[in-house]
Structure formats: structure tokens, C-alpha cells
Amino acid sequence: MSVQERKERERAERERLIVATAREIAEQQGWDAVTTRRLAERIEYSQPVLYSHFRGKREIIGAVAVQGAAEIAVAVRAATAGATGPRERVSALARAYLDFAARNPAVYDALFQLDGGLAFAQEDTPESLKDAFAALLESLGEVAGEGVDTGLFTELFWASLHGLATLTRAGRLPPQDIEPRVELLVDRLAVL
Amino acid sequence: MSVQERKERERAERERLIVATAREIAEQQGWDAVTTRRLAERIEYSQPVLYSHFRGKREIIGAVAVQGAAEIAVAVRAATAGATGPRERVSALARAYLDFAARNPAVYDALFQLDGGLAFAQEDTPESLKDAFAALLESLGEVAGEGVDTGLFTELFWASLHGLATLTRAGRLPPQDIEPRVELLVDRLAVL
DNA sequence: CTCGATTGTCTAGCGGTGCTAGGATCGAGA
DNA sequence: TCTCGATCCTAGCACCGCTAGACAATCGAG
């Protein structure tokens, strides 16, 4: 038994290594640089080993995305916990979200830009994704306003943040003026 | 002279054919299916011909994007022209924008999701991109509210629309409830 | 009208990609 | 010690974006 358990541990450890390495390469050199060959060489195994853990590259991206979602949830909750009052909470939430996207572009891409083969807003959506949305909902729900569905409001607010995050990073929006844009967003969307 | 002119005409015509075909394949089977080989075969020329018109695949994507931007500008202006009053104009604008993204997903991807090698919000930004932003600014500027920079407001509104467009199409947001989300966005962001 | 130069296009191929079939190796249990 | 199944690697497939170099067609000068 113990032998088998050890093997399972080692296997799980190797899987973590694959995901961490993929993320590392992506963060350093972009997702284009994450090829199965390079990834295999970095973890010091041959290519086919990757396919004994994941169906393909998509699933590896998906694994990074799931990890990232959990981290976003943590970051958002940490930011909102330290804020006093709805206004500050929502503002802190927005900042934390955009900050995460800016600091972890590869992870953010894995979540929303690339095809990680993940289901969203469905039955089989990974837990961490649902939880990330829940983290947003916790603080945004209280500023949705009268008669407005909190889920709908959260989706809209989230979409706005997502738009700012992607357009800014892709160079579609001038990178200065991030602050006033966030302030304007919070002031207008949130009902205080 | 006339011979040379004819050749130039034919060359320009072929270039249009390349862009149109790339767009067609992308719209039918996704951008992944737009390979230089397939594209060359469709236009009944060999691969290297593509490279006598464009530096590479990126530039072809960029050409589709530029075309798409011009169409967005037209669609937005057409929608806002037929609306009476600021509220209806902004609402129509939002609908037209999201409608374009939904109906032309490949073109929208070329503009904002893929790397078409285009400059945004800079000196050498293609005219049609600047004009598309101008089209948004025309209607959104009048509802920015007191003391708010119209450019900044337009950027924010645009980012929100972009977020809704991408998240909806990527399956990140439930596709129903588009209407109420748009209504909420207009009601909250625009100062009427 | 001929002949070199230029222009245009194609064939063939380079180095890379994601992914997989099939053989070698190794370790656990009899 | 031997057998056999799990594990891993070598080698290779079909495809990718892109390009060098051969070839044919066209043009202008003598």
C-alpha cells in the first residue's frame, strides 16, 4: 500500500510542477513560449508524460486558470476585508481586481483570453471559478441598488472591470488615467 | 502606363480578395483555421504570394481588424442617427456595438483579441480605429456628466461594452439577460 | 526581331508546433 | 529469480508560419 501511496504523491507533485512551470514560462515569456517540448524539458521529463496528466495543452492552461481564479478570490476578499464602508469596499475590490490582472497577465489570459476548455456559469464549472464570482458578489451585492438583481449587477460590474483590464493591457487604452477611470466606474455603477 | 495601372488594379483586387477570404474562413471556422496554406489555396495562389502583400499572418489579421473598425463606426452612427434624445442614442449605441460583436465574432477578435500588430491610441493608429472611437465619442460625450472628461468617459463606457461582449461570447456570462444588463449599464453610467 | 534584365510566381524545404504509436526499461509480487 | 504490468522515452506524424532559389513570363534596348 505504502508504495502505491508514494507513487500517487509523486504523481500529484509532478502535476503541480507541470502547472507551476507552465505558469512560470507564460509569465516570463508569454503563452506562445509555453510549448509542450519546452515545458517537458523544464520539468525534465519527456513530452508524453504531460499527456498522462492532461489531455492536452488546453487542459494545462485550464489548470493555471483554476489556480488563478482561487488567487483572485483571495486577493479580492483581502482587499475588501480591510475597507470600511461600501464605497471603500467596492473601490478596493476594483483596484485589487485590476491589480491582479496587471501583475499576473499570463494567468489572467489563461482565465479569460485563452481557451482553457473550462465551463463558466454552468453546472460543471470548477469550484474556484464559482468562488471567485462569489467573492465579487459579496461586496458588490450590497451596492446593487433597489430592485436590481445582485447577480446581474455583479456580472455587469465584473464585465466593466474585465474590459478595463484587457483593453489597458493590450494597449488599447492609455495606461495612465487608470485611477480616474476606476473612480468614475465606482461612482457611477455603485449605488451608495 | 496603362499596363502598369492594370497590374496595380489587379494587385489591389487580389489584396482585397486575401483579406475577404481570411475573414470568411475565420467567420466560418474560427481564426485557427485561417492558415497561410488554406488561405493560399482558397485564393488559388501559392503561399508566397501572401507575403508579397503582407509581412505575415499578423498583418492579414490587422487588415481585417481595420476593416471591422470602419464597419463598427458605420453601425454605431447608423443606430444613433435614428434615435431621439440622449437616452435612446446611448442605448441604441450599446445595442449596435454588442450586436456587431455578436454577429461578427471573428472580426471582433481580430480587433481586440488577437494580435494584429496594430497601434491603438497613438500617432500611427489607423484612421478607421480612431474614427470608430470618434463615433462612440459623438454620442457618449453628451452624457458624460458635469466635470467629467468626455474622452475618459467614452473609454470607460467602451471598456464596459467590450467586457460584456467578450465575456458573453466566451460563455463567461449567461447569454440571456443581455437586455437588462445593457439597460442597467446605460442607466447607471450615462448622466441624462 | 532578338536578347538580357526585370518581374512575378511556384516548388520545395526549414525549423517549429501539438500530439501519439510502439518499444524499452524497471520494479513489485509470485 | 522470474514474470508481468506500469511507466517512460524515442521516433515520427501531420500541420504550422515563413523563405530561398528555380523558373517562366514580360519588358525595354539594340
Side-chain angles (χ1 to χ4, degrees):
Chain A
M1 275 304 158
S2 165
V3 172
Q4 199 172 351
E5 285 176 5
R6 192 206 69 221
K7 286 196 176 183
E8 281 177 21
R9 265 205 320 276
E10 288 174 350
R11 213 185 132 70
E13 172 57 31
R14 192 171 62 180
E15 189 158 316
R16 281 214 313 277
L17 180 63
I18 291 173
V19 176
T21 306
R23 178 173 176 169
E24 196 177 306
I25 299 174
E27 216 62 85
Q28 288 171 351
Q29 311 173 243
W31 275 105
D32 278 352
V34 182
T35 69
T36 54
R37 273 170 241 276
R38 232 188 302 257
L39 186 49
E41 196 187 0
R42 279 277 202 100
I43 65 169
E44 294 179 311
Y45 281 96
S46 69
Q47 268 181 292
V49 166
L50 300 175
Y51 293 86
S52 73
H53 287 272
F54 302 94
R55 273 180 199 278
K57 195 181 167 180
R58 271 173 44 144
E59 271 199 5
I60 298 177
I61 296 173
V64 172
V66 166
Q67 205 175 83
E71 293 174 21
I72 287 187
V74 169
V76 164
R77 289 205 174 95
T80 54
T84 59
R87 174 70 172 79
E88 277 67 31
R89 251 195 298 286
V90 174
S91 187
L93 178 146
R95 266 172 247 274
Y97 186 95
L98 294 176
D99 193 59
F100 182 91
R103 286 185 197 275
N104 308 276
V107 177
Y108 198 82
D109 279 348
L111 263 165
F112 300 121
Q113 213 83 348
L114 304 174
D115 179 13
L118 299 178
F120 274 73
Q122 286 174 24
E123 282 282 326
D124 54 343
T125 297
E127 216 47 53
S128 74
L129 299 186
K130 292 186 194 169
D131 187 55
F133 188 80
L136 296 179
L137 189 72
E138 286 161 19
S139 293
L140 292 174
E142 61 180 353
V143 295
E146 291 273 333
V148 174
D149 181 74
T150 56
L152 189 82
F153 177 79
T154 301
E155 287 169 0
L156 177 61
F157 200 100
W158 170 39
S160 298
L161 287 176
H162 175 64
L164 284 176
T166 53
L167 290 179
T168 300
R169 207 165 64 64
R172 261 70 168 177
L173 286 180
Q176 64 273 22
D177 297 341
I178 292 180
E179 277 300 314
R181 275 196 288 259
V182 171
E183 288 309 307
L184 186 59
L185 175 72
V186 173
D187 281 336
R188 291 282 168 89
L189 278 192
V191 175
L192 301 167
Chain B
M1 274 306 158
S2 167
V3 172
Q4 198 173 350
E5 284 176 6
R6 192 205 70 221
K7 286 197 175 181
E8 280 177 22
R9 264 204 321 275
E10 288 174 351
R11 210 184 134 71
E13 172 56 31
R14 193 172 62 182
E15 189 158 317
R16 281 215 313 275
L17 180 63
I18 292 173
V19 176
T21 306
R23 177 172 175 169
E24 197 177 305
I25 298 174
E27 216 63 84
Q28 287 171 353
Q29 311 173 244
W31 276 105
D32 279 351
V34 183
T35 69
T36 55
R37 275 170 241 272
R38 233 187 301 257
L39 185 49
E41 197 187 1
R42 280 278 202 99
I43 65 169
E44 295 179 311
Y45 281 94
S46 69
Q47 267 181 295
V49 166
L50 300 175
Y51 293 86
S52 73
H53 287 272
F54 302 95
R55 274 179 200 278
K57 196 181 166 180
R58 271 173 45 145
E59 272 198 6
I60 297 177
I61 296 173
V64 173
V66 166
Q67 205 174 84
E71 293 175 21
I72 287 187
V74 169
V76 164
R77 289 206 174 95
T80 54
T84 58
R87 174 70 172 77
E88 278 66 32
R89 251 195 299 284
V90 175
S91 188
L93 178 147
R95 267 173 246 275
Y97 186 96
L98 294 176
D99 193 60
F100 182 91
R103 286 186 197 275
N104 307 276
V107 176
Y108 198 82
D109 279 349
L111 263 165
F112 300 122
Q113 214 83 347
L114 303 174
D115 179 13
L118 299 179
F120 276 73
Q122 287 174 25
E123 283 281 327
D124 54 344
T125 297
E127 215 49 50
S128 74
L129 300 187
K130 291 187 195 170
D131 187 55
F133 187 80
L136 296 179
L137 190 71
E138 287 161 19
S139 292
L140 292 174
E142 60 180 353
V143 294
E146 291 272 334
V148 173
D149 181 74
T150 56
L152 189 82
F153 177 79
T154 301
E155 286 168 2
L156 176 62
F157 200 99
W158 171 38
S160 299
L161 286 176
H162 175 64
L164 284 175
T166 54
L167 290 179
T168 300
R169 205 165 65 63
R172 260 72 169 176
L173 286 180
Q176 65 272 25
D177 297 342
I178 293 180
E179 277 299 315
R181 275 196 288 258
V182 171
E183 288 309 308
L184 187 57
L185 175 71
V186 174
D187 280 337
R188 291 282 166 89
L189 278 192
V191 174
L192 301 165

